[in-house]
């Protein structure tokens, strides 16, 4: 017998729409969510409000990037018939939960969040906006609005999952449901895949758009070949016959991420100086292009009919809004802030039309 939606565990994961997704996103998170979608009820958030925490001064790019990130998810093999892809800002319950959770988190805890610190330093922020400092609280609302059990992410996200777990425990503790005393939320678990993080082409700690050291999931085979050719390798290696040090080599790290089967042999060849960097890079280019080829194929029909991307988002967002309303109902009940029945009152947010054609589209990838 197949498992039904109600008994399957729930996943919530997603991305900030700040541009095209890259190989680091793929090996860190997308690959796992594709594998997990078949036996989990999977929600994928396009976190546009979170993108605004750093891009509030250029919101005009969001409409394109929301669709770009959705398309990247579809291209890697997320199946819109079994997953719920949705837009964060169109699910009002997420914003409402974030406000309620903000009471349960101190400013000091947020200031010590290592991911916030790294991002702030990378961007040269001297003072932090309330929204940027608080985005991990909003992310706790992303994860819990659908009462998710599992959050597959790259390792940089683990501090946010830890915070979410703290908020959930505190919430459940303070506000058990009346009568039964049951907790509203499961305590969600983070899950980092086999490769939690991918170094940049330049050997920097992380592949990142702002560091301009990425291979994008929609790069052409020629672009991949060109980028891999200039990737940083072991600096101690001058001649192809010099013994190599795979542990310091970017190209080796990429082989580990996308060409696992070749690793034992490659490690031996490299250390013995029996494979040169040029040949090793050619092997890597082939492996990456083999990985990206089916993604290009899955992307093509959406590029031919971009309105289909909006349809996927509109349908997913509709379901996410219903889920959010249900969770918020339980939250109000548990917090004793329901006060009176609103069963017949109009939900103000219902005024946002989610009819796909009205969901303005001008998608130019
Ligand atoms: N912070 C994540 C990133 O930068 C994106 C994100 C937003 C997310 N909300 C989430 C990831 C909830 C997992 C769960 O990639």
């Amino acid at each position: 017998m197949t498992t039904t939606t109600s008994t399957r565990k729930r996943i919530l994961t997603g991305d900030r729409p700040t541009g095209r997704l890259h190989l680091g996103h793929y090996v860190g998170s997308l690959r796992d969510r594709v594998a997990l979608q078949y036996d989990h009820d999977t929600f994928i958030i396009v976190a546009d409000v979170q993108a605004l925490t750093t891009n509030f001064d250029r919101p005009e790019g969001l409409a394109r990037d929301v669709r770009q990130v959705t398309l990247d998810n579809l291209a890697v093999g997320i199946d819109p018939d079994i997953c719920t892809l949705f837009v964060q800002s169109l699910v009002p319950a997420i914003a409402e939960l974030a406000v309620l959770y903000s009471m349960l988190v101190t400013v000091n805890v947020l200031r010590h969040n290592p991911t916030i610190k790294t991002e702030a330093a990378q961007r040269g922020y001297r003072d932090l906006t309330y929204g940027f400092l608080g985005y991990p609280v909003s992310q706790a609302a992303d994860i819990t609005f659908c009462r998710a059990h599992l959050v597959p992410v790259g390792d940089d996200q683990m501090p946010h999952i830890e915070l979410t777990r703290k908020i959930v425990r505190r919430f459940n503790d303070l506000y058990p449901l009346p009568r039964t005393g049951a907790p509203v939320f499961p305590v969600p678990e983070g899950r980092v895949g086999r490769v939690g993080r991918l170094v940049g082409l330049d050997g920097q700690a992380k592949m990142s758009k702002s560091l301009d050291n990425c291979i994008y999931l929609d790069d052409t085979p020629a672009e991949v070949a060109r980028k891999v050719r200039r990737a940083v390798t072991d600096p101690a290696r001058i001649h192809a016959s010099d013994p190599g040090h795979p542990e310091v080599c970017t190209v080796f790290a990429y082989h580990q991420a996308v060409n696992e089967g070749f690793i034992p042999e490659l490690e031996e060849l490299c250390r013995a100086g029996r494979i040169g960097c040029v040949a090793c890079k050619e092997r890597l280019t082939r492996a990456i292009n083999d990985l990206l080829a089916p993604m290009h194929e899955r992307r093509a029909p959406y590029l031919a009919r971009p309105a289909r991307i909006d349809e996927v988002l509109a349908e997913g967002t509709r379901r996410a809004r219903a889920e959010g309303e249900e969770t918020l109902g339980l939250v109000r009940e548990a917090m004793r802030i329901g006060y009176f029945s609103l069963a017949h009152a109009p939900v103000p947010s219902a005024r946002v039309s989610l009819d796909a054609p009205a969901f303005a589209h001008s998608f130019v990838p």
Side-chain angles (χ1 to χ4, degrees):
M1 212 187 79
T2 53
T3 36
T4 64
T5 307
S6 55
T7 58
R8 280 184 312 165
K9 294 228 161 169
R10 261 199 189 164
I11 282 180
L12 180 295
T13 186
D15 317 277
R16 276 181 211 184
T18 55
R20 298 183 285 162
L21 297 185
H22 53 63
L23 200 58
H25 290 119
Y26 181 73
V27 302
S29 169
L30 295 162
R31 180 159 62 187
D32 290 316
R33 71 178 78 151
V34 170
L36 293 167
Q37 68 181 327
Y38 302 103
D39 44 16
H40 293 78
D41 184 15
T42 302
F43 285 74
I44 296 177
I45 188 167
V46 183
D48 60 334
V49 179
Q50 193 175 113
L52 281 173
T53 64
T54 55
N55 293 15
F56 57 88
D57 52 349
R58 47 206 140 97
E60 62 282 354
L62 272 179
R64 182 199 59 221
D65 289 343
V66 162
R67 293 173 176 105
Q68 177 68 56
V69 160
T70 306
L71 179 55
D72 281 330
N73 270 279
L74 296 166
V76 299
I78 288 297
D79 180 348
D81 291 333
I82 57 175
C83 295
T84 302
L85 290 119
F86 69 97
V87 180
Q88 182 188 28
S89 65
L90 297 179
V91 179
I94 292 176
E96 294 178 47
L97 287 173
V99 172
L100 298 173
Y101 295 163
S102 73
M103 263 60 83
L104 308 180
V105 183
T106 67
V107 173
N108 259 331
V109 163
L110 293 169
R111 286 179 26 184
H112 289 111
N113 180 303
T115 299
I116 288 279
K117 286 207 259 189
T118 309
E119 285 174 342
Q122 241 179 37
R123 293 170 185 278
Y125 292 164
R126 280 186 297 130
D127 196 5
L128 305 183
T129 66
Y130 176 54
F132 181 79
L133 181 68
Y135 91 70
V137 180
S138 162
Q139 188 157 328
D142 298 343
I143 293 168
T144 55
F145 91 97
C146 63
R147 284 163 283 158
H149 304 93
L150 191 64
V151 193
V153 282
D155 65 359
D156 61 323
Q157 297 298 304
M158 284 314 272
H160 303 338
I161 313 294
E162 259 326 300
L163 180 73
T164 303
R165 290 164 61 83
K166 280 205 186 100
I167 291 174
V168 163
R169 285 205 200 93
R170 186 122 174 78
F171 185 99
N172 286 342
D173 223 43
L174 282 169
Y175 314 120
L177 280 167
R179 289 182 298 278
T180 61
V184 173
F185 297 108
V187 180
E189 266 176 53
R191 175 140 139 191
V192 176
R194 181 176 65 81
V195 183
R197 164 193 316 233
L198 192 62
V199 295
L201 287 163
D202 54 0
Q204 292 262 6
K206 185 179 157 186
M207 192 175 267
S208 149
K209 182 169 161 273
S210 46
L211 299 173
D212 191 25
N213 60 7
C214 305
I215 291 173
Y216 291 100
L217 299 180
D218 64 354
D219 276 346
T220 62
E223 280 168 329
V224 171
R226 184 178 57 78
K227 288 181 177 181
V228 170
R229 249 182 264 123
R230 51 153 235 247
V232 171
T233 53
D234 173 4
R237 243 183 140 193
I238 315 238
H239 306 290
S241 58
D242 293 343
H245 305 89
E247 62 281 1
V248 299
C249 180
T250 307
V251 173
F252 187 77
Y254 285 22
H255 275 291
Q256 279 178 316
V258 302
N259 202 13
E260 210 186 353
F262 181 43
I263 287 300
E265 188 190 344
L266 175 60
E267 179 157 14
E268 214 179 294
L269 291 172
C270 177
R271 285 195 197 284
R274 289 196 291 118
I275 182 171
C277 293
V278 173
C280 178
K281 285 179 167 182
E282 279 166 6
R283 291 286 295 257
L284 177 64
T285 296
R286 234 180 299 145
I288 295 176
N289 282 333
D290 286 349
L291 178 72
L292 301 191
M295 300 186 196
H296 287 299
E297 247 167 66
R298 280 189 290 258
R299 202 179 290 275
Y302 290 101
L303 290 174
R305 201 165 85 73
R308 178 71 193 122
I309 300 170
D310 286 18
E311 284 163 19
V312 167
L313 282 177
E315 199 175 306
T317 301
R318 219 175 281 122
R319 177 172 179 220
R321 286 162 69 111
E323 274 301 324
E325 280 312 307
E326 193 179 317
T327 298
L328 209 54
L330 292 173
V331 162
R332 289 199 187 98
E333 191 184 342
M335 292 183 74
R336 277 49 173 192
I337 57 171
Y339 314 131
F340 42 79
S341 168
L342 285 170
H344 302 292
V347 182
S349 52
R351 277 175 294 167
V352 177
S353 166
L354 287 176
D355 297 335
F359 197 14
H361 51 78
S362 55
F363 182 67
V364 188

